[in-house]
Amino acid sequence: MCADVNDRIPPLPHGAHSLDLDNIQALVFTSANGVRAFACHCNRRDLPVLAVGDATASTAHAAGFTDIASARGNIDDLADLISQKLSPDKGGLYHPAARKTAGDLGTLLAAKGYVVRRQTLYEAHAANAFPPALIGGLVHAGIDAVLFFSPRTAETFVKLVEHHNIKGAMANMTAICLSPAVKDRLASLHWRKVVVAAQPTQQSLLSALDSAII
């Protein structure tokens, strides 16, 4: 059995923000949550979308967007994709985001002349406890592997493991990490094995899972 630990991601209330899309040539999404938040606040689907990875691109397609390109990686790969596909003199880029982000896309692109209009449309609330069923799975070896998609999720998991005083249970499990940065956040726990995906994509993460549990 595998476990995926995620934060609660509610969009901010309608009307909390006015979306300024004037002179915007494309939308940039650094997470599937950003797509969902934008879709809650705006009905426009005509703008091109540049997504950090395939899961985010898939979410954009499900939300009704049709012109979608995926960087198939991390925020640095997204910045490279933007540089390849868009000219900075054609307009700004709109980035729906959470209050806290793992990277600063605007800074990465500013030196190349791009203007990124970042707006907070949702919040990520860290869980404050594991559900009883999950604790049972962790403690009684009902879970073989845990998938970690972000450093933030890994940090939250470590805090909750310490809160419930079940650090010893990790010795029976494999941690499957999207990137080395995610792995670093899990260093205080002693795992049976820690595996990092070959590429920071959902498909690569799932391939690492397949290899780890064979």
Side-chain angles (χ1 to χ4, degrees):
M1 180 179 177
C2 300
D4 171 23
V5 179
N6 288 296
D7 297 330
R8 295 181 296 108
I9 316 286
L12 295 179
H14 287 279
H17 291 89
S18 174
L19 274 60
D20 181 6
L21 299 177
D22 289 344
N23 196 34
I24 291 296
Q25 63 169 313
L27 305 174
V28 292
F29 292 116
T30 51
S31 72
N33 294 316
V35 178
R36 298 184 188 103
F38 181 88
C40 285
H41 287 83
C42 183
N43 292 325
R44 288 190 61 178
R45 302 292 185 268
D46 58 304
L47 288 165
V49 166
L50 290 93
V52 68
D54 291 346
T56 302
S58 178
T59 303
H61 183 268
F65 293 98
T66 57
D67 185 354
I68 305 167
S70 171
R72 301 178 62 86
N74 56 27
I75 193 171
D76 296 302
D77 298 311
L78 178 58
D80 290 341
L81 179 67
I82 290 169
S83 298
Q84 294 166 15
K85 287 189 167 292
L86 302 177
S87 172
D89 60 4
K90 297 296 184 181
L93 308 173
Y94 185 82
H95 176 204
R99 293 194 187 278
K100 294 182 180 180
T101 59
D104 188 345
L105 186 64
T107 297
L108 287 175
L109 292 170
K112 300 179 180 180
Y114 294 90
V115 175
V116 178
R117 193 175 300 165
R118 179 179 177 273
Q119 188 169 19
T120 300
L121 292 188
Y122 66 96
E123 295 181 283
H125 298 296
N128 53 26
F130 285 141
L134 178 56
I135 295 175
L138 294 171
V139 172
H140 300 296
I143 293 174
D144 300 308
V146 186
L147 278 65
F148 295 98
F149 287 83
S150 72
R152 177 187 169 91
T153 299
E155 288 176 356
T156 299
F157 184 87
V158 171
K159 290 178 181 177
L160 294 182
V161 165
E162 293 173 346
H163 170 72
H164 291 290
N165 194 26
I166 54 173
K167 292 179 68 172
M170 303 306 107
N172 299 315
M173 281 170 277
T174 298
I176 313 293
C177 305
L178 187 69
S179 68
V182 175
K183 177 184 177 181
D184 290 345
R185 302 303 196 281
L186 300 171
S188 63
L189 300 180
H190 299 290
W191 299 84
R192 177 179 60 196
K193 185 192 303 183
V194 178
V195 178
V196 178
Q199 300 292 329
T201 66
Q202 178 173 287
Q203 186 56 51
S204 184
L205 187 77
L206 294 176
S207 295
L209 173 63
D210 289 340
S211 300
I213 63 177
I214 291 176

